[in-house]
Amino acid sequence: MSARLCVCVCLCPFVFPAFDYGFLLRISEDARRVEALNEYLSSRSYLAGYGPSQADAEAFALLCGPPPERHVHALRWYKHIAALNHLGVSCFSAKGKRVQPPWSPPEGTDVSKLRLYNSLTRTKEVFVPQKGNRVLWYCCGPTVYDASHMGHARSYISFDILRRILKDYFKYDVFYFDLNVTSSFQIIKRARQNYLLEQYREKKPSPSQILQDVLTARTPFKAKLAETTDPDKKQMLERLDAAVEAALGPLQVAVQSNAAGDALQNQAQVLLEEAKDLLSDWLDSQFGSQVTENSIFSLLPKYWEGEYHKDMEALNVSELILMSNSISNGSVYFDTGKFDSCPAHSYAKLVPEAVGDQKALQEGEGDLSISADRLSEKRSQNDFALWKASKPGEPSWDSPWGKGRPGWHIECSAMAGSILGESMDIHGGGFDLRFPHHDNELAQSEAYFENDYWVRYFLHTGHLTIAGCKMSKSLKNFITIKDALAKHTARQLRLAFLMHSWKDTLDYSNNTMESAIQYERFINEFFLNVKDVLRSPTDITGQFEKWEAEEIELNKSFYEKKTSVHEALCDNIDTRSALEEMRALVGQSNTYMAARRSAKLPPNRMLLQGIALYLTNMLKVTFGALEGAEPIGFPVGGSGQNADLENTVMPYLSVLSDFREDVRRIAREKKVTELLRLCDELRDDTLPELGVRLEDRDGLPTSVKLVDKETLLKEREEKKKVIAESIYMAMAKLAKMKVKPSEMFRSETDKYSIFDEMGFPTHDAEGKELSKGLAKKLRKLYEAQEKLYNEYLQSTQNGS
């Protein structure tokens, strides 16, 4: 009651301006006073929006009660004043005006802040850009001397996800500078070896020459194998040696037996292919110093750079700023000791414990930087090259210090510094680049810019393993991106990355990819169900359904899950938890839709549409796991025509579905089984070939869904497999039920030798009496078979 009065008071401007009520004092009879008041109010605009006056209060006090209903104006006025008095609202100030009540602001709650795991502090830090909303971000590029592999994808998909979330979810103005393709000792050595091996092939050596050269090359290879202590590398070298050994034998036999020319050549080419790695190493040691043409060293990275960018495009990694190597113009080393002794600087901020670690330097710098002659040029083994004087067999450019090439670390510093300046917000790269590469980048850049904050936040992505084993190109244990895309879609690969923390190790395995596929299928099915709901015919009022307890509960959960997703992304961009919250939201939505279907009631369209739009936006804009222009769900059909395809074909499919339902209804009524069979064939065999799924629902219209053709065909095969397995199990059970208990053990003569009159074994195959424990166990099996056999006899008597 009080709430209704409040609305009345607040929304209805109700009383007239101050008036001379003296005439009422001159009337003694209540009836006549009310009549006079009603007549007076009939000519006054007491609903004109003015506040009540003191005169209204005094006139109200003259009345003994509410006026009769026939005095409409007086009664309405009286009710307004009475309502105010009843509510205890003091509407009359000394001046006859209403007083506005005081207002208190809400206390609010703490807002979640974005925190990122900063390798500089090895902890999660609140992310604060240096300049307002602007974020300057640099990522180290790949070393492209071979096909791009899943390790590259690990880094670049992860950083693409992080960049999208900062830019499109948190709305930072991100300037992302990336994909500078660096040169390194791997490229130089691989390019030189490839050139020498190709030259060797072009000379068309005889089979006996190939045999002799491989045997010669195998001697230093065997020594290298004996010296290797790293278990992964040793295993790789052993596999290579075994392959060479297997190819050597047949060629040696063929040469000794003077085999026919074609057979001899075939055996020689097999050996050449298996031994190309150790042969190229040997050729490099013999003739590498004679390779001096710079173009030889540019062809290899240029080719693989192009292949790399094709792979990135296929993975839906956004287009980024590409900088080519600009070579500035002797050996110059960075003095790490002098730098570290300066109070304003510190060497190896990221991995201080690695300083002096020769294994770490070997992995990072390679033989071209830490060989004995190189070390002799340095003041300290920790110093690193800014400019390297080129040796024979290495590319070179002129400089004030003589012919040479830039050091690996200086390339990144030069490019990042020239574009982003003296300080950047974020620097990214793989975990294995922390030392020496990123530590050396930091040292030389902070020395150049004379500061200690060239990088504010260092983000390092975790390793990628292959079925639990270390992935390494040098160990020949890697999967190329092309191979991965041949087995799985770019969306499935991205979902696999999203389902793991970007900073932790990710294991690329069948289990990992199966989890991603199941997640994709689960989300896609939800989108298809929502689309089906939105296509259901409804009148204009049906689009604005009343919310009941179920809708209120689902909407509450929707907002809770959105909050949880936001908190997960604030917590070091935890996409794994975010996806799990989205999965839970879909599960609750599915439960809601199923409950409405069971009750033969339509689900709330507006609510489901809102949830589907949110999930689509998160997967598309924020995570980059969806492409296409559809507002809801995964794209259907070819690229560029997704939305048009569904909008074009769905009306025709709906007509076909309705027609099929009518045919099925008539066929059931008339008991025409042939028509029912044809309808099932249309659903199960014909339409899946066109990417259409029909779902018959008892008491409800058939659901029509556009689904990827390959998915439907796979579903069909799985369904057939399940049916076949069910039939097999049923037949096996029936066969078992037919066995008489007295016969079940008699055939097992390898286990038992003597049986009682009921067919129960009493002695084992050696004639020994069965133990009590075994007899008890067999008795249970016997009794269970008795039960099955009796069920079989009962079914035959009933004619089933």
Side-chain angles (χ1 to χ4, degrees), residues 742-762:
S742 59
E743 301 295 331
M744 65 180 296
F745 293 118
R746 290 186 182 276
S747 60
E748 299 180 1
T749 55
D750 59 325
K751 296 180 180 179
Y752 316 111
S753 58
I754 302 175
F755 305 86
D756 63 16
E757 65 278 5
M758 301 297 293
F760 190 82
T762 58

Side-chain angles (χ1 to χ4, degrees), residues 443-506:
Q444 65 197 12
S445 299
E446 293 182 352
Y448 177 80
F449 288 112
E450 297 182 345
N451 65 32
D452 64 346
Y453 49 83
W454 189 59
V455 174
R456 299 293 191 175
Y457 299 82
F458 247 117
L459 309 184
H460 288 102
T461 55
H463 288 301
L464 183 133
T465 57
I466 304 294
C469 300
K470 177 183 177 182
M471 195 194 79
S472 169
K473 191 175 290 185
S474 63
L475 298 179
K476 303 185 183 303
N477 172 38
F478 68 96
I479 295 177
T480 67
I481 292 174
K482 283 186 174 61
D483 290 340
L485 286 172
K487 295 176 64 178
H488 304 104
T489 66
R491 181 192 305 143
Q492 290 164 353
L493 289 174
R494 185 169 287 250
L495 285 172
F497 282 62
L498 285 162
M499 295 170 74
H500 293 76
S501 168
W502 60 269
K503 64 174 287 293
D504 296 337
T505 297
L506 186 152

Side-chain angles (χ1 to χ4, degrees), residues 357-368:
D357 185 337
Q358 287 299 295
K359 183 179 180 181
L361 288 169
Q362 167 71 27
E363 291 177 353
E365 297 287 333
D367 294 332
L368 295 179

Side-chain angles (χ1 to χ4, degrees), residues 112-116 125-127 166 170 172 569-570 573:
S112 297
K113 297 179 180 179
L114 173 60
R115 295 177 181 271
L116 297 176
E125 306 284 1
V126 175
F127 180 62
L166 261 69
F170 289 106
Y172 287 110
L569 295 181
C570 285
I573 308 184

Side-chain angles (χ1 to χ4, degrees), residues 155-432:
S155 181
Y156 286 100
I157 291 179
S158 295
F159 280 123
D160 185 66
I161 291 168
L162 296 181
R163 183 195 61 82
R164 286 175 182 270
I165 292 172
L166 261 69
K167 178 178 178 290
D168 298 320
Y169 185 84
F170 289 106
K171 306 301 180 183
Y172 287 110
D173 181 10
V174 178
F175 180 69
Y176 191 90
F177 174 48
D178 192 3
L179 300 192
N180 57 295
V181 181
T182 62
S183 67
S184 74
F185 68 90
Q186 293 103 326
I187 292 179
I188 294 170
K189 186 175 181 180
R190 180 63 67 88
R192 194 171 60 214
Q193 289 180 344
N194 286 356
Y195 171 77
L196 290 170
L197 186 62
E198 189 60 32
Q199 294 290 101
Y200 182 84
R201 290 180 188 272
E202 289 179 1
K203 292 178 181 179
K204 297 182 179 179
S206 66
S208 59
Q209 183 67 51
I210 293 174
L211 178 61
Q212 180 182 338
D213 289 341
V214 171
L215 289 171
T216 302
R218 200 178 181 203
T219 300
F221 177 81
K222 283 283 193 179
K224 181 180 178 181
L225 175 57
E227 294 171 359
T228 301
T229 56
D230 181 270
D232 292 326
K233 189 172 184 179
K234 193 173 187 70
Q235 187 180 44
M236 180 272 292
L237 294 176
E238 287 172 344
R239 287 199 305 267
L240 177 57
D241 188 54
V244 172
E245 177 73 28
L248 267 172
L251 181 59
Q252 288 173 319
V253 171
V255 170
Q256 292 170 1
S257 61
N258 295 318
D262 289 344
L264 197 61
Q265 286 292 342
N266 289 337
Q267 295 291 352
Q269 292 305 312
V270 170
L271 177 60
L272 184 57
E273 182 62 28
E274 294 294 346
K276 63 182 181 182
D277 288 323
L278 61 89
L279 191 60
S280 62
D281 270 339
W282 175 72
L283 290 170
D284 190 38
S285 67
Q286 299 295 308
F287 311 108
S289 61
Q290 301 174 17
V291 181
T292 57
E293 177 58 48
N294 282 353
S295 62
I296 293 172
F297 300 99
S298 63
L299 291 175
L300 176 73
K302 188 173 183 179
Y303 170 78
W304 288 115
E305 179 184 343
E307 293 299 299
Y308 171 82
H309 291 301
K310 290 177 184 177
D311 289 338
M312 292 300 105
E313 183 178 359
L315 289 170
N316 195 28
V317 173
S318 301
E319 182 180 353
L320 305 168
I321 296 175
L322 173 64
M323 294 294 292
S324 61
N325 273 347
S326 58
I327 306 301
S328 55
N329 288 321
S331 252
V332 181
Y333 289 92
F334 185 89
D335 190 333
T336 57
K338 184 177 180 180
F339 176 80
D340 199 43
S341 65
C342 179
H345 297 298
S346 179
Y347 177 61
K349 287 183 175 181
L350 290 164
V351 195
E353 64 270 22
V355 175
D357 185 337
Q358 287 299 295
K359 183 179 180 181
L361 288 169
Q362 167 71 27
E363 291 177 353
E365 297 287 333
D367 294 332
L368 295 179
S369 294
I370 68 166
S371 56
D373 55 337
R374 297 288 192 186
L375 289 172
S376 66
E377 299 173 353
K378 304 178 181 181
R379 293 180 182 176
S380 166
Q381 65 178 13
N382 298 321
D383 295 347
F384 56 91
L386 301 173
W387 182 266
K388 298 178 182 180
S390 293
K391 295 170 61 178
E394 297 177 12
S396 63
W397 291 264
D398 290 328
S399 79
W401 308 281
K403 287 184 175 294
R405 56 189 177 85
W408 173 30
H409 319 297
I410 203 68
E411 298 173 9
C412 288
S413 291
M415 287 182 286
S418 64
I419 300 297
L420 304 181
E422 68 175 12
S423 183
M424 69 185 77
D425 296 291
I426 299 175
H427 191 313
F431 183 81
D432 54 340

